[in-house]
Amino acid sequence: DVKVTQSSRYLVKRTGEKVFLECVQDMDHENMFWYRQDPGLGLRLIYFSYDVKMKEKGDIPEGYSVSREKKERFSLILESASTNQTSMYLCASSSPGEGNQPQHFGDGTRLSIL
Amino acid sequence: AQSVSQHNHHVILSEAASLELGCNYSYGGTVNLFWYVQYPGQHLQLLLKYFSGDPLVKGIKGFEAEFIKSKFSFNLRKPSVQWSDTAEYFCAVRSYSSASKIIFGSGTRLSIRP
């Protein structure tokens, strides 16, 4: 069974801090995604990656960056955290054989920026 | 711009009732369509997907969805719901040309009265 592991379930940080959210998948998937989930807005794509060192902007990349140095790990970085980045962050992975849509999700990281 | 509308934000049904959750999208080209489900305390999972072929798609747990191209709709149905179907349901669409960029609807919370 595919496992997508996000490093923290809950995280509290202060405005202006640099924040790292880590995601690891154990199925050698090419595709990895970062979404944020907010009530009434559904899921919004921040960044995705379809291979090591490859990244594509999603719909709301401002204020975020990503890193994919190894195939199994996709990191989301908040360069200078702000209160409007308080949200639930979801990581997902998939393979081209599954259709390239986000197929396997992590449990999420609930991030609060004070 | 592409968008996905789920007009029902919260649906309350009794067990054994029939379910239909609406999903409409705005995009004129070829699309792939998805329904995801998030049970309380669990991670998001793919319920069913439509890529091509038979517009009536069957998914897990007795769910099905029908793609009606003329109405830009992909409604989710289940003939008889169970208490365990209590969850949040997300419709999502990907235009054929947008690789892995999937647009999610805002979600419908389904509550089933035992």
Side-chain angles (χ1 to χ4, degrees):
Chain A
D1 212 16
V2 177
K3 189 142 179 75
V4 178
T5 304
Q6 294 183 231
S7 53
S8 306
R9 288 297 299 272
Y10 301 94
L11 206 53
V12 180
K13 296 290 182 181
R14 297 208 172 272
T15 304
E17 279 192 70
K18 191 169 186 176
V19 181
F20 294 86
L21 302 183
E22 305 287 345
C23 176
V24 176
Q25 49 94 3
D26 65 359
M27 279 300 289
D28 203 35
H29 282 165
E30 289 82 354
N31 304 317
M32 295 189 76
F33 310 81
W34 274 107
Y35 287 87
R36 61 178 283 177
Q37 182 179 12
D38 299 288
L41 296 178
L43 276 74
R44 291 179 292 166
L45 181 63
I46 306 171
Y47 270 96
F48 67 97
S49 168
Y50 50 88
D51 205 348
V52 176
K53 297 192 187 294
M54 306 298 287
K55 59 185 179 184
E56 292 280 344
K57 290 180 180 178
D59 299 308
I60 51 164
E62 296 78 20
Y64 303 94
S65 62
V66 289
S67 172
R68 192 155 180 211
E69 295 297 318
K70 293 185 178 181
K71 195 173 186 180
E72 67 270 19
R73 185 180 298 271
F74 192 36
S75 304
L76 180 69
I77 304 151
L78 284 66
E79 298 292 342
S80 177
S82 63
T83 54
N84 63 13
Q85 292 177 310
T86 291
S87 187
M88 171 69 88
Y89 289 87
L90 296 177
C91 176
S93 74
S94 70
S95 68
E98 292 173 319
N100 283 326
Q101 72 278 352
Q103 182 86 15
H104 309 278
F105 284 83
D107 291 329
T109 296
R110 189 168 292 282
L111 175 64
S112 297
I113 306 297
L114 305 179
Chain B
Q2 295 176 62
S3 66
V4 180
S5 297
Q6 294 181 246
H7 302 294
N8 307 108
H9 298 294
H10 189 193
V11 172
I12 303 173
L13 295 173
S14 297
E15 276 195 311
S18 65
L19 169 72
E20 181 160 4
L21 301 182
C23 173
N24 289 90
Y25 64 92
S26 65
Y27 183 73
T30 303
V31 293
N32 302 145
L33 297 157
F34 310 87
W35 275 99
Y36 288 84
V37 61
Q38 189 169 31
Y39 297 102
Q42 296 188 28
H43 53 79
L44 209 67
Q45 56 185 291
L46 184 66
L47 199 54
L48 49 79
K49 62 185 178 184
Y50 171 79
F51 278 16
S52 64
D54 188 344
L56 185 62
V57 181
K58 294 196 183 298
I60 59 172
K61 305 188 181 189
F63 286 91
E64 64 179 31
E66 186 174 13
F67 171 46
I68 303 180
K69 190 174 182 180
S70 60
K71 294 185 178 180
F72 299 91
S73 71
F74 190 55
N75 292 355
L76 182 71
R77 300 195 295 244
K78 186 171 185 179
S80 176
V81 295
Q82 301 170 307
W83 179 79
S84 58
D85 293 323
T86 295
E88 189 152 21
Y89 294 81
F90 296 91
C91 180
V93 62
R94 174 176 63 199
S95 70
Y96 198 71
S97 59
S98 72
S100 294
K101 276 193 181 184
I102 290 181
I103 307 296
F104 281 79
S106 56
T108 297
R109 186 156 65 99
L110 175 64
S111 300
I112 305 298
R113 289 190 292 248

